């Protein structure tokens, strides 16, 4: 097993070293899909055989997000340091629910560093979670607990006035999922209109809150987007903080990827107001480049965070001595009791690279986005569909074609071909109803030439599709 383990690690390093030589993504052949229909194994086989199966049937047909030309959705690419840390974490397998262990102290240190990175006060709390969706859910849950005005843990929502959250119409779908799961109902997450730069319109927010109060609703929180998923737009965070304070609303920021731009001194001014959030959700598996899954939520008021989740039955007593002692139990700050050692990869990344290097990579990605936007804007046969606040570029190939109706179909076909040929992976969205090729650049392996290649390949495929028609 030891020898095989060494080989697995070598193979992984080979895989990473040769990423560029392979297609970004490959469609799955039927045999691969059929392989995963095999029945429950009653008897085992050798790990060597199973590993071979993995190499043949799994490794080659993954997401492609490690590749330098992957910019779809918002995905991190993983780092070798993260890979090794995950291996060590899994091997050591500590329970991060709480207790007097070095791993628990380590996670507290990572949380302290996160507070520092986003200039949260020293007394703020936080917890590492699976990702941005969970971080958003927890932030909203603490907000609901803090601002409902009654004992929601005991009474639930029975007899309560409808509790309302607000956020821009560009909010991420995970926030709606969170609101639904919290029992508030998606009708009580008000989508506030945005301006032509996709920033939340403060006046529309103020009038929506005022209207709701008059109509007997209870506004309890407002959500700011630090980097919307569609276009990377940053809401006016400072104004939102001020508005939330004056209206006694919880202020949650979804900074899944965008918050990380705060690490760069050059980009920080774009995110002014970020540290004023009551809760801040962000991912470390997107624009911090770590392997999945790791996200974080920071909460300004530690006590309210703890009171939203802590529960101490007899079999989970915290002690002053022994293994049940130690720093505050992180199971008191989220839904999970047993927790994995995801903190290690964040800790090792920060110790190994230092935060300044990561900040420079983030800055480089923004420069790449600005470069791509510029190339697209200058090309007569391309169109930039949204302003670039950060690292997301939405564009399309027009081929100089005057027929707007067919441009959507043309670009959808280009997208399929870009992906299926393995050339590059953008994803898509709609901007003001128009189909957009969308690159979210959170990729530390991308080089400037990769974007030249993307534009050239998009043009070549676009012309080909037009010629076929
Ligand atoms: C990705 C994303 C999320 C969800 O985060 P996951 O880590 O995928 O759960 C939430 N908000 C925004 C803006 C995102 O980009």
């Amino acid at each position: 097993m030891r020898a095989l383990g060494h080989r697995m690690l070598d193979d992984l390093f080979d895989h990473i070293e040769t990423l560029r030589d392979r297609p970004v993504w490959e469609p799955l052949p039927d045999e691969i899909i059929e392989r995963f229909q095999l029945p429950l194994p009653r008897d085992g086989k050798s790990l060597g055989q199973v590993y071979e199966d993995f190499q043949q049937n799994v490794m080659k047909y993954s997401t492609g997000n490690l590749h330098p030309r992957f910019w779809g959705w918002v995905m991190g690419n993983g780092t070798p340091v993260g890979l090794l840390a995950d291996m060590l974490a899994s091997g050591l397998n500590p329970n991060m629910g709480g207790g007097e262990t070095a791993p628990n102290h380590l996670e507290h240190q990572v949380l302290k560093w996160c507070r520092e990175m986003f200039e949260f006060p020293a007394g703020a709390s936080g917890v590492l979670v699976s990702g941005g969706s969970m971080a958003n859910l927890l932030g909203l849950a603490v907000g609901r607990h803090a601002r409902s005005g009654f004992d929601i843990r005991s009474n639930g929502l029975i007899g309560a006035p409808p509790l309302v959250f607000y956020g821009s119409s560009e909010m991420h779908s995970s926030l709606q999922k969170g609101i639904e799961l919290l029992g508030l109902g998606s009708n009580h997450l008000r989508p506030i209109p945005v301006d032509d730069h996709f920033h939340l319109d403060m006046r529309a927010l103020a009038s929506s809150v005022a209207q709701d109060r008059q109509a007997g609703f209870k506004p309890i929180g407002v959500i700011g987007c630090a980097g919307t998923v569609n276009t990377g737009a940053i809401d006016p965070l400072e104004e939102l903080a001020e508005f939330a304070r004056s209206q006694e609303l919880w202020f949650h920021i979804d900074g899944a990827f965008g918050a990380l731009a705060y690490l760069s001194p050059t980009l920080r001014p774009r995110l002014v107001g970020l540290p004023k959030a009551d809760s801040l959700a962000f991912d470390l598996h997107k624009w911090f480049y770590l392997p999945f899954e790791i996200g974080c939520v920071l909460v300004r008021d530690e006590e309210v965070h703890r009171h939203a989740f802590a529960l101490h039955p007899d079999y989970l007593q915290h002690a002053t001595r022994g293994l049940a002692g130690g720093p505050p139990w992180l199971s008191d700050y989220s839904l999970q009791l047993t927790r994995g050692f995801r903190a290690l990869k964040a800790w090792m990344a920060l110790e190994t690279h230092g935060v300044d290097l990561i900040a420079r990579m983030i800055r480089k990605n923004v420069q790449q986005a600005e470069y791509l936007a510029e190339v697209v804007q200058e090309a007569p046969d391309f169109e930039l569909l949204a302003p670039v606040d950060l690292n997301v570029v939405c564009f399309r190939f027009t081929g100089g074609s005057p027929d707007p109706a067919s441009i959507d179909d043309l670009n959808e076909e280009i997208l399929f071909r870009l992906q299926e040929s393995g050339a590059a992976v953008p994803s898509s969205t709609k901007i003001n109803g128009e189909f957009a090729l969308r690159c979210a650049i959170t990729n530390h392996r991308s080089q400037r030439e990769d974007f030249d290649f993307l534009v050239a390949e998009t043009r070549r495929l676009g012309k080909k599709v037009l010629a076929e028609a």
Side-chain angles (χ1 to χ4, degrees):
M1 193 173 278
R2 183 186 293 251
L4 191 58
H6 284 282
R7 215 185 91 208
M8 288 176 181
L9 205 51
D10 271 336
D11 291 346
L12 271 175
F13 275 101
D14 287 344
H15 178 79
I16 293 168
E17 271 182 1
T18 56
L19 283 170
R20 234 177 224 292
D21 311 333
R22 288 195 302 274
V24 184
W25 175 81
E26 281 184 75
L28 273 68
D30 290 340
E31 352 24 308
I32 299 289
I33 294 168
E34 279 156 26
R35 189 260 163 264
F36 296 105
Q37 313 295 321
L38 295 178
L40 172 72
R42 300 232 63 103
D43 300 304
K45 40 183 173 278
S46 78
L47 180 60
Q49 285 171 294
V50 177
Y51 179 54
E52 219 163 277
D53 195 355
F54 169 83
Q55 281 188 300
Q56 278 176 17
N57 298 316
V58 182
M59 211 161 170
K60 198 171 155 199
Y61 300 102
S62 187
T63 311
N65 54 314
L66 277 64
H67 196 282
R69 286 193 302 276
F70 189 102
W71 307 295
W73 303 276
V74 193
M75 292 194 202
N77 326 99
T79 62
V81 170
L83 179 173
L84 295 173
D86 267 353
M87 179 188 74
L88 296 173
S90 183
L92 198 60
N93 198 30
N95 190 330
M96 303 297 288
E100 180 68 322
T101 68
N104 279 321
H105 283 281
L106 182 152
E107 179 160 348
H108 278 283
Q109 184 174 38
V110 168
L111 293 168
K112 177 173 174 286
W113 290 343
C114 287
R115 284 198 299 267
E116 240 175 84
M117 292 193 299
F118 298 106
E119 300 187 289
F120 262 57
S125 53
V127 65
L128 296 178
V129 293
S130 55
S133 301
M134 188 56 80
N136 277 331
L137 172 66
L138 295 192
L140 297 175
V142 179
R144 184 189 67 158
H145 176 79
R147 298 300 157 96
S148 63
F150 55 93
D151 181 0
I152 205 158
R153 284 189 69 170
S154 307
N155 301 323
L157 296 166
I158 310 296
L163 307 177
V164 185
F165 273 90
Y166 304 79
S168 96
S169 54
E170 293 287 301
M171 271 179 300
H172 191 266
S173 56
S174 60
L175 292 156
Q176 181 179 332
K177 279 198 196 177
I179 290 288
E180 290 170 0
L181 194 60
L182 290 171
L184 304 184
S186 57
N187 288 343
H188 303 121
L189 175 58
R190 305 268 194 248
I192 305 299
V194 290
D195 63 19
D196 55 5
H197 278 59
F198 303 99
H199 304 148
L200 179 141
D201 179 341
M202 290 301 301
R203 284 166 70 177
L205 171 66
S207 73
S208 184
V209 170
Q211 257 176 28
D212 277 341
R213 287 200 200 281
Q214 277 214 324
F217 295 94
K218 185 173 170 63
I220 59 167
V222 60
I223 298 160
C225 300
T228 61
V229 63
N230 269 334
T231 70
I234 301 165
D235 283 338
L237 303 176
E238 185 90 55
E239 289 170 59
L240 280 169
E242 177 53 32
F243 178 78
R245 202 191 53 75
S246 70
Q247 295 282 320
E248 295 179 0
L249 302 175
W250 187 261
F251 181 33
H252 175 78
I253 293 183
D254 176 9
F257 63 94
L260 279 300
Y262 203 78
L263 304 189
S264 157
T266 323
L267 301 172
R268 195 168 301 152
R270 301 186 194 185
L271 291 152
V272 50
L274 190 89
K276 295 190 174 164
D278 291 307
S279 53
L280 170 67
F282 56 95
D283 266 314
L284 296 171
H285 63 206
K286 284 179 174 173
W287 221 1
F288 203 78
Y289 312 110
L290 287 175
F292 307 136
E293 306 171 345
I294 182 166
C296 182
V297 62
L298 292 178
V299 178
R300 170 171 306 282
D301 182 338
E302 182 276 336
E303 196 174 309
V304 85
H305 186 183
R306 184 161 33 86
H307 284 166
F309 294 108
L311 209 52
H312 298 150
D314 293 341
Y315 46 84
L316 290 176
Q317 285 306 306
H318 303 190
T320 51
R321 290 170 50 199
L323 178 53
W329 286 31
L330 288 165
S331 53
D332 280 352
Y333 295 85
S334 81
L335 216 59
Q336 274 186 283
L337 177 56
T338 302
R339 304 175 65 252
F341 197 12
R342 52 170 59 97
L344 185 63
K345 56 190 163 193
W347 187 84
M348 278 197 156
L350 283 164
E351 286 279 10
T352 309
H353 308 305
V355 70
D356 289 349
L357 175 71
I358 298 168
R360 286 198 296 277
M361 298 306 299
I362 290 169
R363 169 85 180 115
K364 184 174 163 187
N365 284 152
V366 171
Q367 285 169 329
Q368 289 168 336
E370 286 163 357
Y371 174 70
L372 175 60
E374 202 179 291
V375 170
V376 161
Q377 261 183 316
E378 281 171 8
D381 51 351
F382 278 81
E383 203 180 353
L384 184 69
L385 290 176
V388 176
D389 265 13
L390 216 47
N391 62 332
V392 181
V393 186
C394 292
F395 65 100
R396 59 182 188 165
F397 178 73
T398 60
S401 155
D403 175 10
S406 65
I407 294 181
D408 281 0
D409 294 341
L410 169 63
N411 281 276
E412 190 175 26
E413 183 59 28
I414 292 172
L415 178 66
F416 286 138
R417 293 192 191 190
L418 281 170
Q419 295 181 352
E420 285 165 357
S421 67
V425 174
S427 59
S428 70
T429 190
K430 288 208 168 150
I431 303 294
N432 298 322
E434 292 178 329
F435 186 92
L437 301 171
R438 175 180 162 285
C439 287
I441 307 169
T442 56
N443 192 326
H444 57 93
R445 297 193 177 97
S446 302
Q447 300 297 332
R448 185 169 272 220
E449 304 77 67
D450 291 314
F451 300 96
D452 294 328
F453 181 82
L454 169 71
V455 172
E457 198 58 15
T458 302
R459 177 178 286 124
R460 189 184 71 78
L461 289 168
K463 283 184 173 167
K464 192 155 172 252
V465 175
L466 285 176
E468 285 169 14

